[in-house]
Amino acid sequence: MTQLVVSEVTKDYPTRDKPLSVLRGCSLELSAGQNAAILGPSGSGKSTLLYIIGTLDRPTGGRVTLDGTDPFALGEPELAKYRNRRLGFVFQDHHLLPQCSVLENVLVPTLADSPSKSDAADRAKQLLNRVGLGDRLDHRPAEISGGERQRVAIARALVHKPALLLADEPTGNLDRTTAAAIGDLLLEMQQHEGTMLLVVTHSLELASRFQRRFELDDGRLLQR
Ligand code: ADP
Ligand code: MG
């Protein structure tokens, strides 16, 4: 069974005098089909923890495994493949390529793949239908709204059927109504795809919709 295990992760940032201990031993486990939110004030280390789980940063100590694989033990090409195939990312900013269409943006993570391009295009179109943008495939990011851009980002994150979907303040740039719709969509897509979902937010409203809640407090992760 797919499982994320984060055990006793620590992160120190070097500073001129003594190291800044941002994470002081964070542990959590997530199984296939589960979703969880990580709450905490600005500067509490939420992004740092999510980036470590997403292999965009390395922990100072502790361990992260996904289905028993320790990504930090992989060499660089395998790590890039792991990140691309096993994980999906949604950030506060959509990070869409402005010159590419909605469909092309969803296909970006598949560009390095060898097999049949039509399979990837079919998958991308299915996802765009499901996020409600099936009739906007040829539009550019500038031609759709902020909420719609996040819908594209969610479809792009799921194109490889990741085991784990990670989202850092995915509704942070949106108005309240749009934020609620994007929160619902993330959970609906997670259920439909059977992936694990870990979302970092400072919104209690968003976090209240998740099966499990954690709070980062003084470098430690507490169950809420
Ligand atoms: P959050 O996402 O909860 O707002 P972050 O994870 O971004 O918090 O940051 C947590 C703390 O780590 C902050 O005090 C921040 O200044 C510090 N920090 C983040 N990245 C670095 C870095 N590269 N070097 C030094 N300090 C950092
Ligand atoms: Mg942050």
Side-chain angles (χ1 to χ4, degrees), residues 13 20 22 41-48:
Y13 286 116
L20 176 69
V22 176
S42 183
S44 57
K46 303 184 296 300
S47 294
T48 301

Side-chain angles (χ1 to χ4, degrees), residues 75-199:
E76 202 42 60
E78 288 75 26
L79 179 59
K81 192 168 172 195
Y82 168 94
R83 199 182 288 131
N84 178 259
R85 307 294 305 223
R86 306 286 286 143
L87 309 179
F89 296 93
V90 177
F91 298 97
Q92 180 167 351
D93 185 81
H94 52 81
H95 292 296
L96 300 179
L97 300 173
Q99 71 277 24
C100 290
S101 70
V102 161
L103 179 60
E104 287 164 347
N105 266 288
V106 174
L107 286 168
V108 163
T110 70
L111 293 178
D113 302 353
S114 40
S116 150
K117 281 203 160 134
S118 65
D119 285 357
D122 287 349
R123 166 86 177 143
K125 284 179 199 168
Q126 276 169 18
L127 285 167
L128 283 164
N129 270 323
R130 193 160 270 279
V131 301
L133 292 172
D135 55 353
R136 310 296 293 274
L137 303 184
D138 297 327
H139 287 225
R140 308 284 139 178
E143 296 164 343
I144 59 177
S145 70
E148 287 165 345
R149 277 177 238 160
Q150 273 313 53
R151 288 173 186 267
V152 179
I154 291 168
R156 178 185 54 189
L158 290 169
V159 73
H160 271 142
K161 288 189 176 288
L164 174 62
L165 180 59
L166 299 168
D168 191 0
E169 304 275 10
T171 64
N173 286 347
L174 304 173
D175 64 73
R176 202 168 162 193
T177 311
T178 310
I182 292 297
D184 288 342
L185 179 69
L186 269 172
L187 288 165
E188 181 199 313
M189 296 300 285
Q190 180 249 328
Q191 292 295 320
H192 184 260
E193 296 285 318
T195 176
M196 296 181 281
L197 171 64
L198 194 55
V199 170

